[in-house]
């Protein structure tokens, strides 16, 4: 076990290059199962969640080779082997195995997902979609057993615009008979990325990125090569870290449009944000204004940047209000920030954050983005060492975090516990 040690007080300076998106990668890898020949994924992030997914696919008989940022997946010998336990339990996104195996074989038995459990995260909309396509879904001692003789296209209205349900239904419907229409679909860029891969494999999916997605089922899907979009949440985390340390950082290999909600909020606070074609420069200022932020579904402010933003708002003058309308109680970072001297109170779905100075403390990352928030908080503290436990959560979503921060001049290191 390791912990992260952070001595702050230095403005971040330099360039950081962003890797491929975690939340795309962990949907694209299971999507590759639907092909009948090799799929090559480029720009893959080096993350523990990706390694777990490679292990899951190998367990089903896929040939997986992963070198640097490229993964080759040959699914020609894959079988729908029941996976009630094992690596599927380590990942939230193992639910994509349900859509992929149901779409390919009409049969899947997958243990209910693990992952970052900052609050109960139901998958009723995924199941509703599978059932609408004609599958039966039975919970067998904590594993979902899906079965269908023949999936048939239909119209599915999602009660919540869920990223996971939208992608899972696309996976199951890509080879279903006839047309499927998903209404109130989620619009996150990762959904477009999955549709792009599936279309390169021979699927017919239109409207990804809008609230109505139309899928015309096809009989076979073939191999292809696909490059994963940049990780907007990783990029946003470095933008926030640069602002919090009043640094000057070029965030490279990004799609600035994916970060518009964050850019607008940073500018409102008084941070200078310069957008180029594939990069963003953040120049911190001496004084930041308090602001209100509402985390919403895309293109709103991302819930995954809500915790890192909390740390930045401790550096603003006055009281900011940060509300999360995606998750009702994603505030496990708050008590830890309070340990560091932050003045924050949670009221329902909102955190009220009074600006002030933080101090070094021993803290615990309870989930991935809470971990990122604590690293950013530690980077603002002059003197003392902030010790962050729960590094395994951070490793799930941040490729080379320590190396990247050190290259930007931060004093951050890992220490064995
Ligand atoms: N929801 C339901 N029923 C469902 C599905 C979702 O009620 O069947 C609710 C959830 O409880 C939540 C809301 O709908 O309140 C949105 O959930 P969504 O399904 O969109 O989230 P997800 O697909 O489980 C993905 C990301 C999360 C990210 C959310 C929102 C992956 C593997 N995870 O989760 O990422 O927070 O979308 O953008 O793609 C992270 O990266 O740290 C992370 C948690």
């Amino acid at each position: 076990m390791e912990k992260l040690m952070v001595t702050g007080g230095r403005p971040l300076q330099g360039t950081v290059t962003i890797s491929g998106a975690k939340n795309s990668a962990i949907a694209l890898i299971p999507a590759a199962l639907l092909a009948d020949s090799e799929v090559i994924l480029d720009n893959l992030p080096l993350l523990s969640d990706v390694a777990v997914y490679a292990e899951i696919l190998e367990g089903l008989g896929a040939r997986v080779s992963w070198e640097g940022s490229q993964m080759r997946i040959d699914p020609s010998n894959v079988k729908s082997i029941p996976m009630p336990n094992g690596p599927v339990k380590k990942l939230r996104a193992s639910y994509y195995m349900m859509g992929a195996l149901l779409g390919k074989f009409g049969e899947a038995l997958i243990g209910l997902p693990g992952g970052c459990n900052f609050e109960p995260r139901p998958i009723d909309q995924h199941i509703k979609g599978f059932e609408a396509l004609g599958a039966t879904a039975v919970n067998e001692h904590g594993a979902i057993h899906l079965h269908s003789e023949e999936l048939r296209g239909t119209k599915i209205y999602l009660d919540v615009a869920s990223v996971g349900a939208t992608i899972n239904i696309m996976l199951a419907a890509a080879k279903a008979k006839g047309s499927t229409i998903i209404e109130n679909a989620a619009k996150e860029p990762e959904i477009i990325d999955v549709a792009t891969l599936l279309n390169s494999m021979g699927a017919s999916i239109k409207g990804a990125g809008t609230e109505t997605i139309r899928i015309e089922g096809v009989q076979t899907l073939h191999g292809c090569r696909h490059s994963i979009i940049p990780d907007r949440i990783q990029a946003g985390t470095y933008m926030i870290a640069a602002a919090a340390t009043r640094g000057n950082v070029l965030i490279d290999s990004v799609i600035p449009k994916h970060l518009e909600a964050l850019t607008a909020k940073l500018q409102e606070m008084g941070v200078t944000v310069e957008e180029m074609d594939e990069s963003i420069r953040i120049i911190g200022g001496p004084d930041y204004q308090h602001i209100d932020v509402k985390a919403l579904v895309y293109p709103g402010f991302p819930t995954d940047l809500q915790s890192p933003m909390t740390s930045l708002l401790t550096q603003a003058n006055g009281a900011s209000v940060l509300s999360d309308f995606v998750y009702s109680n994603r505030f496990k970072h708050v008590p830890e920030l309070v340990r560091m001297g932050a003045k924050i109170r949670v009221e329902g779905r909102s955190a009220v954050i009074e600006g002030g100075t933080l101090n070094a403390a021993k803290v615990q990352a309870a989930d991935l983005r809470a971990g990122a928030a604590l690293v950013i908080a530690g980077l603002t503290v002059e003197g003392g060492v902030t010790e962050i436990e729960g590094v395994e959560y951070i490793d799930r979503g941040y490729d080379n975090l320590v190396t990247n921060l050190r290259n930007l001049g931060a004093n951050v290191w890992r220490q064995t516990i």
Side-chain angles (χ1 to χ4, degrees), residues 177-193:
K177 196 164 184 189
S179 330
T180 300
I181 300 175
I182 311 175
E183 296 281 11
N184 195 29
K187 294 183 269 201
E188 273 67 2
E190 292 74 23
I191 290 159
I192 303 178
D193 209 19

Side-chain angles (χ1 to χ4, degrees), residues 22-23 95 122-125 162-164 304 326-327 330 369:
K22 169 188 85 104
N23 287 346
Y95 50 44
I123 58 163
D124 56 298
Q125 298 302 302
S162 153
V163 175
D304 294 340
V326 179
Y327 297 110
R330 196 181 194 179
R369 308 301 171 191

Side-chain angles (χ1 to χ4, degrees), residues 118-120 306 324 326-332 346 348-349:
F118 38 80
E119 68 170 43
Q306 180 258 98
D324 194 327
V326 179
Y327 297 110
S328 57
N329 191 20
R330 196 181 194 179
F331 291 115
K332 287 197 172 158
V346 174
R349 297 191 88 118

